[in-house]
Amino acid sequence: MLSMDDIKYIKRLYEKEDVSIREIMRRTGYHYETIKKYLELEDFNEPLYPPLIRPSLLDPLKPIIDEWLTADLTAPRKQRHTAKRIFERLQEEYPEQLEVKLRTVQAYVSEKKKELFHAQENKAKLPLYHPPGEAQVDFGHFSYFNNAGEMIDALKLTVSFPYSNKAYCQIFGGENQQCLLQGMKNIFEYIGKIPYRMVFDNLSTAVAHVGKGHERTLTEGFKRFCEHYKFEAAFCNSAAGWEKGNVENKVGYERRNMFVPIPTILDFSEFNRELLKRCDKDGNREHYVKELSINDLFQEELVEMLPLNSIPYEVFILETRITDNWAKCSFDGNRYSTSPQYNKQTIYLKVTSDTVIVMNEKYDVIVEHPRLYGKGRESMKWLPYLNLMSRKPMAMKYTSFYEELPDNWQKFLRNQDTDGKRKGLAALHTMLLKHDLHTASAALTYALDNGVHDADSILSAYRTITSPMQQLQPMQVQQLHKDIQDVPSFPVNNHKYDDLFTKG
């Protein structure tokens, strides 16, 4: 597959500069079928290909090299390790483990130094004129109350349209690439159009490196998103937020008018849908200069915008992790449970703005978590662990899962012997595969009210309340007699059979 830069170059030559395919073949050296394929390509969703992990003979020594290079961060520039010096030290200190040549060490050291010593020091210049159809993008902070009454800090993504002074916003737990792209996607799909040009800060989620002048090295995921929706991304000079002053003002305006008093938010997705409607309602006011309503001016902008790609774009990243002894894995400073059978194994995380989906090597879903923001938090899904817990029922009371159970289940399991606990947990596992703890609690209450308390009876009660059979009205005996017709009796004569055998 061609790189996104090559694809964009081919499309620009053909669509913007009216260059023929034959001329593009001459300029790029690519085959006709290759160029035609990418000119017709509309779906830029990244395909899921399991990564090829090729172990290196240098792997056992990489942590040692990393330690030396990290220590160089505080060393004088002229007294830092070169790749040759690292190779010599490895020969001296780890001769039995060193199984590679100098070139392999040089390649790894070069890659690691780019990661450790990479700096963004240059600035770029961009025009400030924003005609109809352009947009500006920025994040801003706000606070809300959760269902426990705690005040939480979160992020708000705002997309503003300077020509009409229209703006839309969406809320997220963080400022990562998935939040940025998902917020824009939500707004694109709501308005049904795409701004042809969008101005951003130099967000690390979009810009991998700031070069000289207008030069930007964009992250691969952001480039893919831009190409899918076909808009042009422009970036401000570093530390020059006033270059997108419209969206800067909108971030504060929305916070004062849509988040005062401090809201209680239980569901971000539902709140985001409501925010889009509130932004439309806010657009009914008059523009501060043009003496027309903001919504009327925005209708003019929509005419200048690009059509929405009919192929949905799925916003996520795919990460590889190795679980620990408890079959848990870490992502972005937080821990997520998987399933006991995957301890010390490679798993894959499909991460969106609000979910972390744990998958095995075949991309089958193991468990799905809400994405955690902050550091040092943990999400535990107990369902995959119930089978293991049923084999070790006495350890159950030392888990947080026991505290999360409804009162009737806690009391039931507390009064059971070891075998009863084991069977009860197995029954609970069966119920939670399709329903929640509320249903399991109702099934237990139904069973106990009918005088039964063994695991099989609880499962029978569960199936009764979740798949009730149709109740038939009893038939009246008098009606039954009335409907049945009298059948005449027939006399039996076996002499004919006797005659038959006699003749034989």
Side-chain angles (χ1 to χ4, degrees), residues 382-401:
W382 286 103
L383 180 59
Y385 290 78
L386 280 181
N387 274 335
L388 175 63
M389 202 181 299
S390 67
R391 297 195 295 271
K392 301 178 180 180
M394 301 311 294
M396 175 189 59
K397 63 181 180 181
Y398 300 108
T399 68
S400 60
F401 172 72

Side-chain angles (χ1 to χ4, degrees), residues 20 22 345 415:
S20 67
R22 187 174 296 278
Q345 292 191 31
N415 294 332

Side-chain angles (χ1 to χ4, degrees), residues 303-322:
V303 176
E304 304 296 328
M305 294 186 195
L306 303 172
L308 182 68
N309 192 330
S310 60
I311 302 172
Y313 189 90
E314 190 175 2
V315 179
F316 68 92
I317 57 171
L318 192 68
E319 297 276 342
T320 307
R321 291 293 186 274
I322 297 178

Side-chain angles (χ1 to χ4, degrees), residues 189-336:
E189 291 180 347
Y190 184 75
I191 66 176
K193 285 293 189 73
I194 311 295
Y196 67 85
R197 185 172 184 268
M198 303 185 75
V199 182
F200 301 82
D201 276 333
N202 295 289
L203 303 166
S204 60
T205 56
V207 180
H209 176 67
V210 180
K212 296 180 180 180
H214 297 278
E215 183 182 341
R216 295 290 188 278
T217 302
L218 304 183
T219 60
E220 194 67 18
F222 186 78
K223 285 194 291 186
R224 187 177 294 276
F225 184 84
C226 294
E227 195 61 32
H228 187 85
Y229 288 110
K230 294 183 170 56
F231 66 86
E232 175 192 353
F235 298 89
C236 297
N237 289 309
S238 298
W242 60 85
E243 294 181 357
K244 52 178 182 57
N246 183 268
V247 72
E248 297 276 352
N249 291 332
K250 280 294 185 182
V251 168
Y253 172 85
E254 290 167 342
R255 186 163 47 223
R256 294 188 298 271
N257 290 273
M258 298 183 185
F259 296 85
V260 176
I262 299 174
T264 297
I265 303 177
L266 306 180
D267 184 333
F268 270 35
S269 297
E270 180 62 32
F271 194 85
N272 275 334
R273 286 190 288 270
E274 185 61 30
L275 271 178
L276 294 172
K277 298 175 184 177
R278 292 181 66 181
C279 291
D280 271 341
K281 184 177 180 181
D282 180 73
N284 290 326
R285 58 194 175 90
E286 187 176 281
H287 189 279
Y288 60 95
V289 171
K290 300 180 180 179
E291 298 183 349
L292 291 171
S293 78
I294 291 174
N295 280 340
D296 287 342
L297 291 168
F298 186 62
Q299 291 301 314
E300 297 178 16
E301 290 206 84
L302 289 174
V303 176
E304 304 296 328
M305 294 186 195
L306 303 172
L308 182 68
N309 192 330
S310 60
I311 302 172
Y313 189 90
E314 190 175 2
V315 179
F316 68 92
I317 57 171
L318 192 68
E319 297 276 342
T320 307
R321 291 293 186 274
I322 297 178
T323 60
D324 58 20
N325 287 329
W326 296 272
K328 296 179 181 179
C329 62
S330 297
F331 174 77
D332 201 20
N334 297 303
R335 283 160 60 83
Y336 299 87

Side-chain angles (χ1 to χ4, degrees), residues 246-503:
N246 183 268
V247 72
E248 297 276 352
N249 291 332
K250 280 294 185 182
V251 168
Y253 172 85
E254 290 167 342
R255 186 163 47 223
R256 294 188 298 271
N257 290 273
M258 298 183 185
F259 296 85
V260 176
I262 299 174
T264 297
I265 303 177
L266 306 180
D267 184 333
F268 270 35
S269 297
E270 180 62 32
F271 194 85
N272 275 334
R273 286 190 288 270
E274 185 61 30
L275 271 178
L276 294 172
K277 298 175 184 177
R278 292 181 66 181
C279 291
D280 271 341
K281 184 177 180 181
D282 180 73
N284 290 326
R285 58 194 175 90
E286 187 176 281
H287 189 279
Y288 60 95
V289 171
K290 300 180 180 179
E291 298 183 349
L292 291 171
S293 78
I294 291 174
N295 280 340
D296 287 342
L297 291 168
F298 186 62
Q299 291 301 314
E300 297 178 16
E301 290 206 84
L302 289 174
V303 176
E304 304 296 328
M305 294 186 195
L306 303 172
L308 182 68
N309 192 330
S310 60
I311 302 172
Y313 189 90
E314 190 175 2
V315 179
F316 68 92
I317 57 171
L318 192 68
E319 297 276 342
T320 307
R321 291 293 186 274
I322 297 178
T323 60
D324 58 20
N325 287 329
W326 296 272
K328 296 179 181 179
C329 62
S330 297
F331 174 77
D332 201 20
N334 297 303
R335 283 160 60 83
Y336 299 87
S337 65
T338 63
S339 178
Q341 70 191 86
Y342 293 100
N343 68 309
K344 291 290 187 179
Q345 292 191 31
T346 299
I347 51 92
Y348 295 92
L349 303 180
K350 183 179 180 181
V351 183
T352 71
S353 62
D354 57 0
T355 60
V356 174
I357 302 170
V358 183
M359 304 182 295
N360 62 20
E361 291 185 337
K362 295 181 179 179
Y363 292 148
D364 297 324
V365 176
I366 301 170
V367 67
E368 182 174 331
H369 296 269
R371 182 171 180 174
L372 301 177
Y373 287 94
K375 300 293 181 183
R377 301 177 64 194
E378 182 173 307
S379 177
M380 185 71 195
K381 295 291 186 180
W382 286 103
L383 180 59
Y385 290 78
L386 280 181
N387 274 335
L388 175 63
M389 202 181 299
S390 67
R391 297 195 295 271
K392 301 178 180 180
M394 301 311 294
M396 175 189 59
K397 63 181 180 181
Y398 300 108
T399 68
S400 60
F401 172 72
Y402 181 76
E403 299 299 325
E404 296 170 7
L405 288 174
D407 291 340
N408 62 344
W409 269 100
Q410 289 189 30
K411 182 178 179 180
F412 171 77
L413 292 171
R414 187 166 55 245
N415 294 332
Q416 298 296 308
D417 59 16
T418 301
D419 189 56
K421 286 183 172 65
R422 182 180 297 110
K423 292 180 178 178
L425 287 170
L428 183 59
H429 176 262
T430 300
M431 289 184 273
L432 293 183
L433 286 173
K434 293 185 177 180
H435 292 85
D436 56 14
L437 281 172
H438 178 76
T439 304
S441 177
L444 179 59
T445 299
Y446 185 86
L448 296 177
D449 288 347
N450 284 276
V452 291
H453 52 78
D454 60 285
D456 290 337
S457 297
I458 295 170
L459 282 176
S460 178
Y462 158 72
R463 296 186 180 100
T464 298
I465 65 174
T466 55
S467 302
M469 297 181 64
Q470 182 179 2
Q471 298 297 321
L472 300 177
Q473 294 295 328
M475 184 175 289
Q476 300 295 326
V477 177
Q478 294 178 351
Q479 181 67 30
L480 179 65
H481 289 169
K482 180 180 178 181
D483 293 340
I484 295 178
Q485 298 179 359
D486 292 333
V487 179
S489 60
F490 295 91
V492 179
N493 185 356
N494 292 326
H495 292 298
K496 292 183 179 182
Y497 292 97
D498 293 339
D499 293 342
L500 178 64
F501 283 110
T502 302
K503 292 178 181 179

